[in-house]
Amino acid sequence: MNTNFKHILAQKSIYIAAISACFIAVVAFAVLSFLITRDSRKNNEGFAKKTFFQKYETLEKEFRNIEEYQYLLRALIRKDGLKNYKEYSSVLNNMNRKGSLLPYSWYSYYDAASGKSVSNSTLSDVLTKKSADVRYTKIENNRSGHFRDFLTTRKDTTYWVSYDSLVLPRKNRLYYGSAVSLNDLHEYFSNIDKSLNNYAYVFTKEGICISHPEKKYLGRNIFDFTDVQPKDTLCSATKSGYTEGTGVSEYLNLEVTRFVKPLKTDNFDGYAVVNHVNFLIDESVSNTKMYTVYIFLAALFLIVAVFILFHRAANIAYKEKEKIQSEKNLLLVENEKMHRVEALHQLQQLKNNINPHFLFNSLNSLYMLIGINKDNAQRFTMNLSRIYRYLIVPPQENIVPVAQEIKFIQQYMELLKSRFDEELTFDLIVHHPKSLEKRIPYLSLQMVVENAIKHNIATIDHPLDILITVESEEIKVKNTWQPKTGEDVQGAKFGIDYLNQVYDYFKKNSVNISVDGEYFVCILPLLE
């Protein structure tokens, strides 16, 4: 009855531990999900600002290129007056045809005496003729060195016209300047900076849109077709020099983060707007959270699987223990030494198999490794699986090859290193490789190492050093002698007695233990 009660308590402990591990995993996922969402959104918002500055710099550069073209035209005209202005205009237009953007220069010579004008462009009519059919919108610009600008529409095409004039003798006047189709400007900006997650448009101080990815908005007032407000253009009131807000894109009909910044050159005074699509940010965060869910589900499945396997192993061990206990009672009546040694061996093996303290420490280490280093966690899990396979399926005999025990102790020490790290060092030296073919009592190295860790101090300041040396006739296990306060080496007597009985059964010298200066030494003879 007492044994069954203890078994029920052990089962409850396993279920409680499994539920606790699942609860910890769920809480950890919730916290990690929140942190990932916050940091991912912050990183994506930083990326949005970075792309905004890149887009703005591109727009500013191209507007300055247009301005440089106008300065070149002004310099040529003012240098020669009426001598070569037609040739200059023709040469510049030929050069422009080879470029991506197609601004072209024009001129209009006004003869005051005759009242007639000679020009190479119908766009100049607005300067020399007052016709009710000619519609134009003046663009105000008071910056130094500027050309005068206006927008005019001809045959459903809106042109941005910049002009200057040269006063000649007898009140004659030469008008000259450049003109750019807003459709051509739209195509040009669409090709020089292609981006899938943002788009930009430019408007004047009066709100007239002169660049937009949607052609139907060119020449219209942006306050009529967007949710941009006049207060959004008050960039001088902000420390950053631009305003940032959210709105709905008139172009994509999606929520966007909107940046508005003044765009000023010597010949233009307006604003650039860059819209960054928010669903890309949310999609990136969602992907990150989804990957996190997968990782945590995998980790949770692994933890539950290990608990289930351990529970099954505990049940098998419990049934085996009852069977062995019954056999032990019969064997004690017969008082046969070999059977008694075998019973002690099985008892010690069962103690190792159902030791929850070692498993829980290993699972805690595994849980920490999953969040820190996935590769290390995989290696840790494989070692833990091999160790429990080795413990749960004991050999038919009480002795195993030395190579097998050496491999097991290396896996066992790798698990311990994940718990103790700098507090524990382990070295293995094989002086005689042929000795690996000999045999040694099952779990003998693990018992000696476990006793060393159990009864000695192991800290960063005083690490526990363990050295295993394979000689021709023996294995020497040596560890630093720094016993815990109140502890005595006799606490390891159960394991040493077990090993001595095995060696006595095989008529071999017993285990030799001693304290050599600062080291505790245990010598295990090898069996043929």
Side-chain angles (χ1 to χ4, degrees), residues 58-70:
T58 300
L59 292 173
E60 185 180 43
K61 177 182 176 182
E62 296 305 324
F63 270 76
R64 293 195 182 280
N65 287 340
I66 295 174
E67 185 177 277
E68 290 296 328
Y69 174 80
Q70 293 170 344

Side-chain angles (χ1 to χ4, degrees), residues 307-319:
F307 270 110
I308 292 174
L309 292 175
F310 176 77
H311 178 59
R312 293 185 60 186
N315 284 333
I316 293 174
Y318 170 74
K319 294 178 181 179

Side-chain angles (χ1 to χ4, degrees), residues 291-337:
Y291 298 147
T292 306
V293 169
Y294 290 159
I295 293 174
F296 266 90
L297 288 178
L300 188 61
F301 173 79
L302 180 62
I303 293 173
V304 172
V306 171
F307 270 110
I308 292 174
L309 292 175
F310 176 77
H311 178 59
R312 293 185 60 186
N315 284 333
I316 293 174
Y318 170 74
K319 294 178 181 179
E320 186 70 18
K321 182 179 179 180
E322 285 189 334
K323 179 180 178 182
I324 292 173
Q325 187 65 36
S326 176
E327 293 177 354
K328 181 182 177 182
N329 292 334
L330 295 175
L331 292 175
L332 286 175
V333 176
E334 298 177 4
N335 198 21
E336 293 182 5
K337 182 178 180 180

Side-chain angles (χ1 to χ4, degrees), residues 56 201-208 221-223 226-238 240-245 258-264 269-274:
Y56 177 84
Y201 57 87
V202 179
F203 63 92
T204 67
K205 288 196 302 183
E206 297 79 16
I208 304 302
N221 193 303
I222 59 102
F223 299 116
T226 71
D227 56 1
V228 176
Q229 301 296 322
K231 65 179 181 180
D232 297 329
T233 63
L234 301 178
C235 304
S236 58
T238 63
S240 58
Y242 61 88
T243 60
E244 178 181 354
R258 177 179 292 117
F259 300 89
V260 181
K261 186 175 182 180
L263 180 60
K264 296 183 179 182
D269 191 357
Y271 297 90
V273 180
V274 178

